[in-house]
Amino acid sequence: MSLNPSASFSQPPSYFPDIENPDLLDKPYENPSIPTIIQGGLFANVNLSNNGTSLNNSSFFFDTGADVSVLSELTALQLGIDVVLDEPDFTVAVIGSGGTKADVPGFYLDTFTIQATGGSIVATNVPVIVLDVADPSNSANIV
């Protein structure tokens, strides 16, 4: 696991607004009506394989609140999955802050390995969906 970018986590964030402070609006990081301005995320190093194609030491965004595992369209293509030409194994609807996206294609990966000290964790026949998600450390990029 790694924090990316690590500098964004070096100072403790202010998650709790000081409602008694009259300068509340001068401190946007304490405004409860806007999202936290801390940028970054926790990433896991993983190995993936599908239909004889492998990706090793890939950095995957680790979201403990996620309901599904997600591959970007590029990563899926590198694993031999073409979301335009290939029939998905299943589809799901994804609900997010921008609304609902229906019929998001899902596929099963042969293996998904999380590298860990003391022994890697290997899962087989892993369901994933293919959806481009903004990188929390740089929203101009895709995770």
Side-chain angles (χ1 to χ4, degrees), residues 8-28:
S8 67
F9 295 92
S10 62
Q11 296 179 348
S14 297
Y15 290 114
F16 302 102
D18 181 1
I19 59 174
E20 295 179 4
N21 184 347
D23 298 325
L24 176 68
L25 297 178
D26 292 336
K27 298 178 181 179

Side-chain angles (χ1 to χ4, degrees), residues 48 60-63 66-72 90 92 94 104-107 109 112 114 123 126-131 133:
L48 308 166
F60 266 58
F61 178 56
F62 186 76
D63 181 357
D67 293 328
V68 294
S69 295
V70 180
L71 297 180
S72 69
F90 59 92
V92 298
V94 175
V104 175
F107 300 89
L109 295 181
F112 187 99
I114 300 173
V126 178
V128 296
I129 63 170
V130 180
L131 181 66
V133 176

Side-chain angles (χ1 to χ4, degrees), residues 45-48 55-59 115:
N45 292 325
V46 301
N47 298 333
L48 308 166
L55 293 177
N56 295 319
N57 291 323
S58 296
S59 184
Q115 301 170 19

Side-chain angles (χ1 to χ4, degrees), residues 79-126:
L79 286 170
I81 300 169
D82 187 327
V83 295
V84 174
L85 299 176
D86 296 342
E87 185 71 26
D89 296 325
F90 59 92
T91 60
V92 298
V94 175
I95 301 170
S97 60
T100 301
K101 182 174 173 82
D103 298 325
V104 175
F107 300 89
Y108 290 96
L109 295 181
D110 295 337
T111 63
F112 187 99
T113 304
I114 300 173
Q115 301 170 19
T117 304
S120 296
I121 301 165
V122 180
T124 58
N125 201 30
V126 178

